[in-house]
């Protein structure tokens, strides 16, 4: 099964750590990162899609993607 997640966060080191943690759990970057202004918080936000292949498990909409 192939899993997909979109990780987002503030434009600071916590976002970089979130992506680094995902990469170290076997996730791979998918596409280009995004960068946008959040008008509500008046701050910049980052986003990055990641994917991961997991063998031997069938997809179920109830799975917790963060467990992988």
């Amino acid at each position: 099964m192939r899993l997909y997640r979109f990780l987002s966060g503030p434009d600071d080191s916590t976002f970089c750590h979130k992506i680094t943690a995902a990469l170290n759990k076997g996730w791979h970057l998918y596409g280009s990162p995004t960068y946008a202004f959040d008008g509500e918080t008046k701050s910049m936000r980052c986003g990055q899609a990641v994917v991961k292949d997991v063998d031997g498990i069938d997809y179920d909409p109830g799975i917790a993607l963060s467990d992988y």
Side-chain angles (χ1 to χ4, degrees):
M1 131 179 95
R2 178 163 251 199
L3 302 175
Y4 169 91
R5 293 177 70 192
F6 184 78
L7 304 174
S8 64
D11 180 22
D12 62 18
S13 65
T14 60
F15 177 74
C16 294
H17 285 286
K18 186 184 291 190
I19 298 299
T20 299
L23 293 174
N24 280 284
K25 288 183 177 181
W27 292 84
H28 300 275
L29 300 177
Y30 184 80
S32 298
T34 61
Y35 195 58
F37 182 73
D38 182 339
E40 187 173 312
T41 63
K42 307 286 191 251
S43 64
M44 295 303 290
R45 307 258 317 157
C46 301
Q48 175 66 57
V50 293
V51 294
K52 182 176 185 178
D53 292 319
V54 179
D55 294 330
I57 298 175
D58 292 328
Y59 173 73
D60 178 315
I63 65 171
L65 297 174
S66 60
D67 288 348
Y68 294 91

